[in-house]
PDB file of all heavy atoms in Angstrom:
ATOM      1  N   GLY A   1     -31.093 -46.557   0.761  1.00 93.00           N
ATOM      2  CA  GLY A   1     -30.262 -47.755   0.730  1.00 93.00           C
ATOM      3  C   GLY A   1     -30.143 -48.285  -0.684  1.00 93.00           C
ATOM      4  O   GLY A   1     -30.953 -47.962  -1.558  1.00 93.00           O
ATOM      5  N   CYS A   2     -29.127 -49.101  -0.914  1.00 94.00           N
ATOM      6  CA  CYS A   2     -28.896 -49.675  -2.244  1.00 94.00           C
ATOM      7  C   CYS A   2     -28.254 -51.050  -2.088  1.00 94.00           C
ATOM      8  O   CYS A   2     -27.440 -51.271  -1.181  1.00 94.00           O
ATOM      9  CB  CYS A   2     -28.003 -48.761  -3.079  1.00 94.00           C
ATOM     10  SG  CYS A   2     -27.606 -49.426  -4.712  1.00 94.00           S
ATOM     11  N   GLU A   3     -28.643 -51.956  -2.968  1.00 95.00           N
ATOM     12  CA  GLU A   3     -28.069 -53.304  -2.955  1.00 95.00           C
ATOM     13  C   GLU A   3     -27.858 -53.759  -4.403  1.00 95.00           C
ATOM     14  O   GLU A   3     -28.777 -53.686  -5.221  1.00 95.00           O
ATOM     15  CB  GLU A   3     -29.002 -54.274  -2.226  1.00 95.00           C
ATOM     16  CG  GLU A   3     -28.464 -55.681  -2.091  1.00 95.00           C
ATOM     17  CD  GLU A   3     -29.435 -56.594  -1.363  1.00 95.00           C
ATOM     18  OE1 GLU A   3     -29.556 -56.464  -0.132  1.00 95.00           O
ATOM     19  OE2 GLU A   3     -30.082 -57.417  -2.020  1.00 95.00           O
ATOM     20  N   VAL A   4     -26.641 -54.194  -4.693  1.00 95.00           N
ATOM     21  CA  VAL A   4     -26.297 -54.680  -6.038  1.00 95.00           C
ATOM     22  C   VAL A   4     -25.775 -56.106  -5.905  1.00 95.00           C
ATOM     23  O   VAL A   4     -24.877 -56.370  -5.104  1.00 95.00           O
ATOM     24  CB  VAL A   4     -25.226 -53.778  -6.700  1.00 95.00           C
ATOM     25  CG1 VAL A   4     -24.786 -54.362  -8.035  1.00 95.00           C
ATOM     26  CG2 VAL A   4     -25.754 -52.369  -6.898  1.00 95.00           C
ATOM     27  N   VAL A   5     -26.349 -57.034  -6.679  1.00 96.00           N
ATOM     28  CA  VAL A   5     -25.921 -58.435  -6.676  1.00 96.00           C
ATOM     29  C   VAL A   5     -25.497 -58.807  -8.091  1.00 96.00           C
ATOM     30  O   VAL A   5     -26.262 -58.631  -9.041  1.00 96.00           O
ATOM     31  CB  VAL A   5     -27.050 -59.380  -6.194  1.00 96.00           C
ATOM     32  CG1 VAL A   5     -26.561 -60.822  -6.189  1.00 96.00           C
ATOM     33  CG2 VAL A   5     -27.531 -58.980  -4.809  1.00 96.00           C
ATOM     34  N   VAL A   6     -24.272 -59.278  -8.210  1.00 95.00           N
ATOM     35  CA  VAL A   6     -23.750 -59.759  -9.500  1.00 95.00           C
ATOM     36  C   VAL A   6     -23.424 -61.239  -9.330  1.00 95.00           C
ATOM     37  O   VAL A   6     -22.662 -61.607  -8.439  1.00 95.00           O
ATOM     38  CB  VAL A   6     -22.492 -58.977  -9.925  1.00 95.00           C
ATOM     39  CG1 VAL A   6     -22.025 -59.447 -11.292  1.00 95.00           C
ATOM     40  CG2 VAL A   6     -22.757 -57.484  -9.944  1.00 95.00           C
ATOM     41  N   SER A   7     -24.004 -62.083 -10.169  1.00 94.00           N
ATOM     42  CA  SER A   7     -23.797 -63.523 -10.033  1.00 94.00           C
ATOM     43  C   SER A   7     -23.428 -64.123 -11.383  1.00 94.00           C
ATOM     44  O   SER A   7     -23.868 -63.660 -12.431  1.00 94.00           O
ATOM     45  CB  SER A   7     -25.060 -64.202  -9.483  1.00 94.00           C
ATOM     46  OG  SER A   7     -26.173 -63.896 -10.284  1.00 94.00           O
ATOM     47  N   GLY A   8     -22.604 -65.163 -11.322  1.00 93.00           N
ATOM     48  CA  GLY A   8     -22.149 -65.844 -12.538  1.00 93.00           C
ATOM     49  C   GLY A   8     -20.665 -66.144 -12.446  1.00 93.00           C
ATOM     50  O   GLY A   8     -20.059 -66.082 -11.372  1.00 93.00           O
ATOM     51  N   LYS A   9     -20.061 -66.457 -13.581  1.00 91.00           N
ATOM     52  CA  LYS A   9     -18.618 -66.731 -13.618  1.00 91.00           C
ATOM     53  C   LYS A   9     -17.869 -65.400 -13.697  1.00 91.00           C
ATOM     54  O   LYS A   9     -17.655 -64.856 -14.775  1.00 91.00           O
ATOM     55  CB  LYS A   9     -18.284 -67.624 -14.813  1.00 91.00           C
ATOM     56  CG  LYS A   9     -18.764 -69.070 -14.629  1.00 91.00           C
ATOM     57  CD  LYS A   9     -18.079 -70.024 -15.561  1.00 91.00           C
ATOM     58  CE  LYS A   9     -18.662 -69.913 -16.947  1.00 91.00           C
ATOM     59  NZ  LYS A   9     -18.121 -70.966 -17.851  1.00 91.00           N
ATOM     60  N   LEU A  10     -17.487 -64.902 -12.536  1.00 86.00           N
ATOM     61  CA  LEU A  10     -16.877 -63.574 -12.481  1.00 86.00           C
ATOM     62  C   LEU A  10     -15.413 -63.625 -12.890  1.00 86.00           C
ATOM     63  O   LEU A  10     -14.986 -62.940 -13.798  1.00 86.00           O
ATOM     64  CB  LEU A  10     -17.027 -62.996 -11.073  1.00 86.00           C
ATOM     65  CG  LEU A  10     -18.487 -62.894 -10.581  1.00 86.00           C
ATOM     66  CD1 LEU A  10     -18.532 -62.467  -9.131  1.00 86.00           C
ATOM     67  CD2 LEU A  10     -19.259 -61.929 -11.440  1.00 86.00           C
ATOM     68  N   ARG A  11     -14.595 -64.456 -12.207  1.00 84.00           N
ATOM     69  CA  ARG A  11     -13.182 -64.577 -12.567  1.00 84.00           C
ATOM     70  C   ARG A  11     -12.800 -66.022 -12.823  1.00 84.00           C
ATOM     71  O   ARG A  11     -12.295 -66.361 -13.872  1.00 84.00           O
ATOM     72  CB  ARG A  11     -12.314 -64.010 -11.441  1.00 84.00           C
ATOM     73  CG  ARG A  11     -12.273 -62.489 -11.423  1.00 84.00           C
ATOM     74  CD  ARG A  11     -11.211 -61.997 -10.469  1.00 84.00           C
ATOM     75  NE  ARG A  11     -11.118 -60.541 -10.481  1.00 84.00           N
ATOM     76  CZ  ARG A  11     -10.289 -59.852  -9.731  1.00 84.00           C
ATOM     77  NH1 ARG A  11      -9.457 -60.490  -8.909  1.00 84.00           N
ATOM     78  NH2 ARG A  11     -10.248 -58.539  -9.787  1.00 84.00           N
ATOM     79  N   ALA A  12     -13.064 -66.871 -11.834  1.00 84.00           N
ATOM     80  CA  ALA A  12     -12.699 -68.282 -11.983  1.00 84.00           C
ATOM     81  C   ALA A  12     -13.771 -69.015 -12.788  1.00 84.00           C
ATOM     82  O   ALA A  12     -14.786 -68.446 -13.179  1.00 84.00           O
ATOM     83  CB  ALA A  12     -12.519 -68.910 -10.605  1.00 84.00           C
ATOM     84  N   ALA A  13     -13.512 -70.299 -13.019  1.00 86.00           N
ATOM     85  CA  ALA A  13     -14.472 -71.104 -13.773  1.00 86.00           C
ATOM     86  C   ALA A  13     -15.711 -71.403 -12.942  1.00 86.00           C
ATOM     87  O   ALA A  13     -16.780 -71.696 -13.488  1.00 86.00           O
ATOM     88  CB  ALA A  13     -13.815 -72.407 -14.216  1.00 86.00           C
ATOM     89  N   ARG A  14     -15.569 -71.328 -11.621  1.00 91.00           N
ATOM     90  CA  ARG A  14     -16.695 -71.598 -10.724  1.00 91.00           C
ATOM     91  C   ARG A  14     -17.571 -70.357 -10.593  1.00 91.00           C
ATOM     92  O   ARG A  14     -17.065 -69.247 -10.379  1.00 91.00           O
ATOM     93  CB  ARG A  14     -16.144 -71.996  -9.355  1.00 91.00           C
ATOM     94  CG  ARG A  14     -17.195 -72.274  -8.315  1.00 91.00           C
ATOM     95  CD  ARG A  14     -17.516 -73.745  -8.280  1.00 91.00           C
ATOM     96  NE  ARG A  14     -18.496 -74.046  -7.251  1.00 91.00           N
ATOM     97  CZ  ARG A  14     -18.893 -75.269  -6.972  1.00 91.00           C
ATOM     98  NH1 ARG A  14     -18.380 -76.291  -7.634  1.00 91.00           N
ATOM     99  NH2 ARG A  14     -19.785 -75.495  -6.054  1.00 91.00           N
ATOM    100  N   ALA A  15     -18.873 -70.531 -10.743  1.00 92.00           N
ATOM    101  CA  ALA A  15     -19.795 -69.395 -10.622  1.00 92.00           C
ATOM    102  C   ALA A  15     -19.990 -69.048  -9.152  1.00 92.00           C
ATOM    103  O   ALA A  15     -20.024 -69.919  -8.286  1.00 92.00           O
ATOM    104  CB  ALA A  15     -21.140 -69.729 -11.252  1.00 92.00           C
ATOM    105  N   LYS A  16     -20.118 -67.775  -8.883  1.00 92.00           N
ATOM    106  CA  LYS A  16     -20.387 -67.319  -7.518  1.00 92.00           C
ATOM    107  C   LYS A  16     -21.192 -66.027  -7.580  1.00 92.00           C
ATOM    108  O   LYS A  16     -21.411 -65.457  -8.654  1.00 92.00           O
ATOM    109  CB  LYS A  16     -19.091 -67.108  -6.741  1.00 92.00           C
ATOM    110  CG  LYS A  16     -18.198 -66.009  -7.269  1.00 92.00           C
ATOM    111  CD  LYS A  16     -16.994 -65.828  -6.356  1.00 92.00           C
ATOM    112  CE  LYS A  16     -16.110 -64.696  -6.862  1.00 92.00           C
ATOM    113  NZ  LYS A  16     -14.976 -64.441  -5.946  1.00 92.00           N
ATOM    114  N   SER A  17     -21.622 -65.598  -6.403  1.00 93.00           N
ATOM    115  CA  SER A  17     -22.445 -64.395  -6.315  1.00 93.00           C
ATOM    116  C   SER A  17     -21.768 -63.385  -5.398  1.00 93.00           C
ATOM    117  O   SER A  17     -21.255 -63.747  -4.341  1.00 93.00           O
ATOM    118  CB  SER A  17     -23.832 -64.758  -5.778  1.00 93.00           C
ATOM    119  OG  SER A  17     -24.630 -63.615  -5.670  1.00 93.00           O
ATOM    120  N   MET A  18     -21.766 -62.113  -5.813  1.00 94.00           N
ATOM    121  CA  MET A  18     -21.180 -61.035  -5.018  1.00 94.00           C
ATOM    122  C   MET A  18     -22.261 -60.003  -4.731  1.00 94.00           C
ATOM    123  O   MET A  18     -22.991 -59.590  -5.638  1.00 94.00           O
ATOM    124  CB  MET A  18     -20.012 -60.379  -5.753  1.00 94.00           C
ATOM    125  CG  MET A  18     -18.845 -61.319  -5.991  1.00 94.00           C
ATOM    126  SD  MET A  18     -17.521 -60.559  -6.972  1.00 94.00           S
ATOM    127  CE  MET A  18     -16.840 -59.428  -5.792  1.00 94.00           C
ATOM    128  N   LYS A  19     -22.362 -59.613  -3.460  1.00 95.00           N
ATOM    129  CA  LYS A  19     -23.385 -58.655  -3.041  1.00 95.00           C
ATOM    130  C   LYS A  19     -22.701 -57.398  -2.496  1.00 95.00           C
ATOM    131  O   LYS A  19     -21.797 -57.485  -1.673  1.00 95.00           O
ATOM    132  CB  LYS A  19     -24.276 -59.265  -1.968  1.00 95.00           C
ATOM    133  CG  LYS A  19     -25.431 -58.358  -1.537  1.00 95.00           C
ATOM    134  CD  LYS A  19     -26.221 -58.955  -0.397  1.00 95.00           C
ATOM    135  CE  LYS A  19     -27.083 -60.089  -0.857  1.00 95.00           C
ATOM    136  NZ  LYS A  19     -27.978 -60.559   0.230  1.00 95.00           N
ATOM    137  N   PHE A  20     -23.161 -56.234  -2.972  1.00 95.00           N
ATOM    138  CA  PHE A  20     -22.639 -54.945  -2.532  1.00 95.00           C
ATOM    139  C   PHE A  20     -23.819 -54.132  -2.013  1.00 95.00           C
ATOM    140  O   PHE A  20     -24.771 -53.893  -2.766  1.00 95.00           O
ATOM    141  CB  PHE A  20     -21.952 -54.205  -3.684  1.00 95.00           C
ATOM    142  CG  PHE A  20     -20.940 -55.038  -4.428  1.00 95.00           C
ATOM    143  CD1 PHE A  20     -21.319 -55.825  -5.503  1.00 95.00           C
ATOM    144  CD2 PHE A  20     -19.610 -55.043  -4.038  1.00 95.00           C
ATOM    145  CE1 PHE A  20     -20.397 -56.590  -6.188  1.00 95.00           C
ATOM    146  CE2 PHE A  20     -18.681 -55.805  -4.720  1.00 95.00           C
ATOM    147  CZ  PHE A  20     -19.071 -56.583  -5.789  1.00 95.00           C
ATOM    148  N   SER A  21     -23.783 -53.732  -0.757  1.00 94.00           N
ATOM    149  CA  SER A  21     -24.930 -53.029  -0.176  1.00 94.00           C
ATOM    150  C   SER A  21     -24.454 -51.884   0.696  1.00 94.00           C
ATOM    151  O   SER A  21     -23.339 -51.894   1.230  1.00 94.00           O
ATOM    152  CB  SER A  21     -25.802 -53.984   0.641  1.00 94.00           C
ATOM    153  OG  SER A  21     -25.046 -54.588   1.665  1.00 94.00           O
ATOM    154  N   GLU A  22     -25.321 -50.903   0.831  1.00 94.00           N
ATOM    155  CA  GLU A  22     -25.046 -49.745   1.679  1.00 94.00           C
ATOM    156  C   GLU A  22     -26.372 -49.129   2.089  1.00 94.00           C
ATOM    157  O   GLU A  22     -27.350 -49.148   1.327  1.00 94.00           O
ATOM    158  CB  GLU A  22     -24.191 -48.711   0.929  1.00 94.00           C
ATOM    159  CG  GLU A  22     -23.675 -47.582   1.814  1.00 94.00           C
ATOM    160  CD  GLU A  22     -22.766 -46.625   1.068  1.00 94.00           C
ATOM    161  OE1 GLU A  22     -22.172 -47.037   0.051  1.00 94.00           O
ATOM    162  OE2 GLU A  22     -22.665 -45.468   1.501  1.00 94.00           O
ATOM    163  N   GLY A  23     -26.427 -48.595   3.327  1.00 94.00           N
ATOM    164  CA  GLY A  23     -27.625 -47.913   3.792  1.00 94.00           C
ATOM    165  C   GLY A  23     -28.654 -48.862   4.375  1.00 94.00           C
ATOM    166  O   GLY A  23     -28.352 -49.971   4.800  1.00 94.00           O
ATOM    167  N   PHE A  24     -29.900 -48.406   4.372  1.00 92.00           N
ATOM    168  CA  PHE A  24     -31.028 -49.100   5.001  1.00 92.00           C
ATOM    169  C   PHE A  24     -31.891 -49.741   3.924  1.00 92.00           C
ATOM    170  O   PHE A  24     -32.157 -49.129   2.891  1.00 92.00           O
ATOM    171  CB  PHE A  24     -31.832 -48.087   5.828  1.00 92.00           C
ATOM    172  CG  PHE A  24     -33.063 -48.654   6.455  1.00 92.00           C
ATOM    173  CD1 PHE A  24     -32.994 -49.653   7.394  1.00 92.00           C
ATOM    174  CD2 PHE A  24     -34.312 -48.163   6.099  1.00 92.00           C
ATOM    175  CE1 PHE A  24     -34.136 -50.170   7.978  1.00 92.00           C
ATOM    176  CE2 PHE A  24     -35.460 -48.663   6.669  1.00 92.00           C
ATOM    177  CZ  PHE A  24     -35.368 -49.672   7.615  1.00 92.00           C
ATOM    178  N   MET A  25     -32.339 -50.968   4.171  1.00 92.00           N
ATOM    179  CA  MET A  25     -33.139 -51.699   3.172  1.00 92.00           C
ATOM    180  C   MET A  25     -34.185 -52.547   3.887  1.00 92.00           C
ATOM    181  O   MET A  25     -33.853 -53.298   4.809  1.00 92.00           O
ATOM    182  CB  MET A  25     -32.219 -52.589   2.327  1.00 92.00           C
ATOM    183  CG  MET A  25     -32.917 -53.355   1.231  1.00 92.00           C
ATOM    184  SD  MET A  25     -33.339 -52.361  -0.202  1.00 92.00           S
ATOM    185  CE  MET A  25     -31.744 -51.843  -0.760  1.00 92.00           C
ATOM    186  N   VAL A  26     -35.455 -52.428   3.480  1.00 92.00           N
ATOM    187  CA  VAL A  26     -36.505 -53.289   4.015  1.00 92.00           C
ATOM    188  C   VAL A  26     -36.741 -54.436   3.031  1.00 92.00           C
ATOM    189  O   VAL A  26     -36.599 -54.267   1.819  1.00 92.00           O
ATOM    190  CB  VAL A  26     -37.819 -52.512   4.257  1.00 92.00           C
ATOM    191  CG1 VAL A  26     -37.667 -51.512   5.374  1.00 92.00           C
ATOM    192  CG2 VAL A  26     -38.294 -51.829   2.999  1.00 92.00           C
ATOM    193  N   HIS A  27     -37.077 -55.605   3.576  1.00 92.00           N
ATOM    194  CA  HIS A  27     -37.218 -56.796   2.732  1.00 92.00           C
ATOM    195  C   HIS A  27     -38.611 -57.412   2.773  1.00 92.00           C
ATOM    196  O   HIS A  27     -38.885 -58.339   2.013  1.00 92.00           O
ATOM    197  CB  HIS A  27     -36.196 -57.850   3.166  1.00 92.00           C
ATOM    198  CG  HIS A  27     -34.772 -57.420   2.971  1.00 92.00           C
ATOM    199  ND1 HIS A  27     -34.117 -57.534   1.762  1.00 92.00           N
ATOM    200  CD2 HIS A  27     -33.883 -56.842   3.806  1.00 92.00           C
ATOM    201  CE1 HIS A  27     -32.881 -57.071   1.875  1.00 92.00           C
ATOM    202  NE2 HIS A  27     -32.719 -56.629   3.114  1.00 92.00           N
ATOM    203  N   SER A  28     -39.461 -56.969   3.691  1.00 90.00           N
ATOM    204  CA  SER A  28     -40.766 -57.620   3.821  1.00 90.00           C
ATOM    205  C   SER A  28     -41.848 -56.585   4.095  1.00 90.00           C
ATOM    206  O   SER A  28     -41.562 -55.440   4.469  1.00 90.00           O
ATOM    207  CB  SER A  28     -40.740 -58.649   4.966  1.00 90.00           C
ATOM    208  OG  SER A  28     -40.442 -58.005   6.191  1.00 90.00           O
ATOM    209  N   GLY A  29     -43.090 -57.026   3.916  1.00 90.00           N
ATOM    210  CA  GLY A  29     -44.230 -56.157   4.196  1.00 90.00           C
ATOM    211  C   GLY A  29     -44.568 -55.223   3.051  1.00 90.00           C
ATOM    212  O   GLY A  29     -43.949 -55.247   1.979  1.00 90.00           O
TER     213      GLY A  29
END
């Protein structure tokens, strides 16, 4: 699995976060 997060002022003046993910991902333990 893979997860990519890009955050900041991407296009507009307002900052936002974009998440791109695929496959299997564990988050705990």
